[in-house]
């Protein structure tokens, strides 16, 4: 008993924070929170409130109820094409760019020759902004001076970026070119953390290389899958730069983000109406992300 009391007596108690410690914590935690509220949640809540008004940015703010949303869904022709294009963007990145990035990561992880060169080359588009990717697409796909038509030749060159039936697919290929490298790096980092013993155990059990990947390696990459899924949804719904660089998001390249910009800072100056489009985009984004995360969390709990 004496020994136990002596041991507890010699153990230091919890350290009390001084005023200086509290001040440092307040600065380190308070400033990021204030910046987040001022730059993220403040404008978000302001947009939600303005979406129920007819404010043009200059005059008095007048309430409009649900008129902006009613007009958006029934009397605004570019809205539904923009929704379809955003969903097409999501499907294209999720079903083409993400699996292709995983394939490249698996091939590089096997240690092929010049893997460092391939890794750097495939990741290079990621450091470029989508606006720069759009300018590169113009250099390659322009009707009169584009490199692709110059190689193909012919008397009647194809208008890859001007034809509404073609330009969305060309822009999606350019966006996938950039997104694939990002996904590849994420999966490559995940593959490097997989325990080699798992692969060896699967091989000893008679599993083929393909079976070992899909039944052993891929399940261990579930956290990376969550990150890739969320990033893909965010990239597809916030897409703006590349279509605006090509033709200002018109003539077959309409997106919700472009409609928000056109209405808020364009000649129309319809702040309330543009805010309503922004709120719809926010709800769609949250719907995808929350649903995906809830499913992933339920899968983790079941395991």
């Amino acid at each position: 008993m004496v020994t136990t009391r002596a041991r507890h007596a010699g153990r230091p108690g919890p350290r009390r924070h001084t005023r200086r410690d509290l001040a440092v914590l307040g600065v380190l935690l308070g400033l990021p929170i204030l910046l987040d509220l001022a730059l993220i949640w403040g404008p978000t809540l302001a947009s939600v409130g303005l979406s129920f008004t007819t404010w043009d940015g200059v005059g008095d703010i007048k309430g409009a109820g649900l008129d902006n949303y009613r007009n958006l869904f029934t009397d605004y022709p570019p809205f539904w094409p923009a929704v379809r294009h955003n969903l097409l963007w999501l499907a294209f990145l999720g079903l083409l760019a993400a699996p292709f990035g995983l394939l490249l990561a698996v091939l590089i992880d096997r240690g092929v020759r010049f893997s460092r060169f391939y890794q750097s080359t495939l990741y290079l588009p990621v450091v470029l902004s989508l606006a720069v990717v759009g300018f590169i697409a113009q250099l390659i796909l322009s009707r009169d001076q584009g490199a692709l038509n110059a190689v193909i030749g012919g008397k009647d060159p194809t208008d890859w970026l001007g034809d509404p039936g073609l330009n969305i697919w060309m822009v999606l290929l350019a966006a996938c070119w950039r997104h694939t490298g990002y996904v590849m790096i994420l999966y490559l980092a995940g593959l490097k953390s997989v325990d080699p013993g798992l692969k060896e155990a699967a091989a000893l059990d008679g599993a083929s290389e393909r079976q070992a990947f899909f039944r052993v390696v891929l399940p261990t990459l579930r956290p990376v899958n969550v990150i890739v899924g969320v990033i893909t949804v965010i990239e597809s719904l916030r897409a703006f730069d590349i279509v605006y660089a090509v033709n200002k998001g018109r003539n077959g390249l309409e997106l919700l983000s472009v409609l928000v910009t056109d209405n808020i800072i364009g000649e129309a100056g319809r702040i309330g109406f543009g805010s309503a489009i922004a709120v719809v985009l926010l709800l769609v984004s949250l719907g995808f992300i929350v649903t995906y995360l809830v499913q992933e969390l339920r899968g983790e709990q079941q395991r």
Side-chain angles (χ1 to χ4, degrees):
M1 180 68 68
V2 176
T3 305
T4 303
R5 289 179 178 177
R7 187 182 300 119
H8 283 288
R11 183 181 300 171
R15 179 176 177 271
R16 294 184 178 181
H17 294 293
T18 64
R19 291 184 177 180
R20 181 179 179 181
D21 295 334
L22 295 176
V24 171
L25 288 174
V27 171
L28 294 179
L29 295 178
L31 285 180
I33 293 175
L34 289 176
L35 289 175
D36 186 65
L37 292 175
L39 300 179
I40 304 297
W41 291 107
T44 299
L45 296 177
S47 296
V48 174
L50 290 173
S51 66
F52 298 100
T53 69
T54 58
W55 191 42
D56 59 359
V58 180
D60 297 333
I61 300 178
K62 298 179 180 180
L66 296 175
D67 289 345
N68 287 330
Y69 293 96
R70 190 178 299 110
N71 294 333
L72 179 63
F73 290 114
T74 59
D75 297 329
Y76 190 54
F79 175 72
W80 290 112
V83 172
R84 288 195 298 268
H85 292 162
N86 273 110
L87 294 178
L88 181 61
W89 208 284
L90 174 61
F92 215 78
L93 293 185
L95 300 178
L96 182 63
F100 190 53
L102 174 59
L103 175 62
L104 293 176
V106 172
L107 295 176
I108 293 177
D109 185 61
R110 290 181 178 179
V112 296
R113 293 185 61 186
F114 308 114
S115 60
R116 294 287 184 182
F117 171 76
Y118 296 141
Q119 181 177 335
S120 301
T121 303
L122 294 170
Y123 184 74
L124 182 61
V126 182
V127 303
L128 304 176
S129 69
L130 280 174
V132 175
V133 175
F135 292 132
I136 294 175
Q138 283 184 317
L139 294 175
I140 298 175
L141 302 173
S142 177
R143 180 182 182 275
D144 297 323
Q145 300 177 352
L148 183 58
N149 282 335
V151 172
I152 296 176
K155 297 181 180 179
D156 188 15
T158 304
D159 194 359
W160 301 103
L161 298 179
D163 187 349
L166 294 175
N167 55 11
I168 184 65
W169 304 106
M170 297 298 104
V171 171
L172 282 173
L173 286 176
C176 283
W177 173 60
R178 181 179 183 271
H179 191 66
T180 298
Y182 195 10
V183 174
M184 178 199 69
I185 289 297
L186 293 175
Y187 276 120
L188 192 58
L191 290 171
K192 296 297 183 183
S193 64
V194 175
D195 186 2
L198 296 176
K199 300 178 183 178
E200 296 175 0
L204 291 176
D205 289 340
S208 64
E209 190 173 356
R210 180 179 179 181
Q211 290 174 334
F213 175 76
F214 283 103
R215 297 182 180 180
V216 178
V217 177
L218 192 58
T220 62
L221 296 176
R222 193 174 186 89
V224 182
N225 293 333
V226 174
I227 296 173
V228 170
V230 172
I231 289 176
T232 300
V233 171
I234 293 174
E235 286 291 326
S236 61
L237 295 179
R238 76 179 184 91
F240 171 81
D241 314 55
I242 184 170
V243 297
Y244 206 80
V246 171
N247 66 354
K248 298 188 182 301
R250 299 169 183 170
N251 191 30
L253 294 181
E254 295 83 2
L255 293 174
L256 290 176
S257 57
V258 176
L259 299 184
V260 173
T261 304
D262 287 344
N263 281 277
I264 291 181
I265 66 175
E267 295 179 0
R270 298 191 294 177
I271 307 295
F273 190 74
S275 298
I277 303 175
V279 171
V280 171
L281 182 58
L282 173 65
L283 294 177
V284 173
S285 304
L286 290 177
F288 275 108
I289 295 174
V290 171
T291 301
Y292 190 84
L293 291 178
V294 168
Q295 291 178 350
E296 291 296 328
L297 291 174
R298 287 178 178 175
E300 291 289 342
Q301 293 176 354
Q302 292 176 358
R303 288 195 297 274

